[in-house]
Amino acid sequence: AAPWARLEALVCVILFALGTSHFLRRLLAPWVGKERARTTAFLALVFVFLHPLLGECAAPEAARGARLALALAGVASGFFLAGRQEGREGRTAGALALFLLAGFFSADAAPLALLFAMAEFTSAHRHRPRSLRLRTAATTLLVFAAAALLPRLLASGGPPLTVHEPTPELRALLVA
């Protein structure tokens, strides 16, 4: 079981790194230009793999749910900002679906909704008035936080779930 757990952890780290690298490139491009944003995103990707705590975060089985949620949220972040900047509603909806799925694995994904709201305010449709950008960012925060917390709200009755195990609803989906 250990080799599969390590492979799963590696896949999660790769997904997180690629998703956040794409997100970072999209976030910075309107401010520093495409070439500098691409370079910065690549360096962030490299730093994720060179970080000395990478082995520590990938090792514990108890952190499996949080690791899966972080990987899904990382991929969702790349989809979200690309969808918002290009006006592709499918990518934005896909990001919301991935974020909802991340919520099934861990409630730790919910605070990342703040990152989506910040990206919405600073890098998506910068030409719009500040009040409109602020309203859209607040809506983004509410929708994505609700999506990440919805699985916890659905899991009523019985002892509260820990942040490390998938909800019974997700288990039923995976088993079916």
Side-chain angles (χ1 to χ4, degrees):
W4 290 110
R6 290 182 187 272
L7 181 62
E8 178 188 281
L10 178 64
V11 168
C12 285
V13 169
I14 289 171
L15 286 174
F16 169 75
L18 291 174
T20 53
S21 175
H22 184 70
F23 174 80
L24 187 60
R25 182 174 56 84
R26 289 275 188 179
L27 182 70
L28 294 175
W31 299 98
V32 299
K34 288 183 179 183
E35 190 59 37
R36 286 184 178 159
R38 186 179 302 120
T39 303
T40 304
F42 175 75
L43 290 174
L45 180 70
V46 170
F47 285 141
V48 166
F49 289 111
L50 295 179
H51 198 282
L53 293 179
L54 178 62
E56 296 296 322
C57 77
E61 183 62 28
R64 181 177 187 221
R67 195 171 43 244
L68 289 167
L70 191 60
L72 290 168
V75 173
S77 69
F79 280 156
F80 171 75
L81 202 48
R84 292 298 295 147
Q85 287 178 339
E86 295 173 2
R88 293 180 149 181
E89 294 172 4
R91 285 188 180 187
T92 307
L96 184 60
L98 285 172
F99 212 68
L100 175 65
L101 187 59
F104 277 103
F105 286 107
S106 174
D108 293 343
L112 295 175
L114 188 58
L115 183 67
F116 285 61
M118 183 268 316
E120 174 67 40
F121 183 75
T122 61
S123 295
H125 306 291
R126 289 183 347 173
H127 60 279
R128 296 183 346 188
R130 183 184 187 109
S131 61
L132 187 57
R133 288 185 296 131
L134 191 57
R135 187 188 74 195
T136 309
T139 303
T140 299
L141 175 63
L142 291 174
V143 168
F144 277 84
L149 293 174
L150 182 64
R152 300 296 172 224
L153 296 174
L154 293 176
S156 60
L161 295 171
T162 66
V163 295
H164 305 298
E165 65 184 46
T167 61
E169 293 84 3
L170 180 60
R171 282 194 203 122
L173 285 173
L174 294 175
V175 171

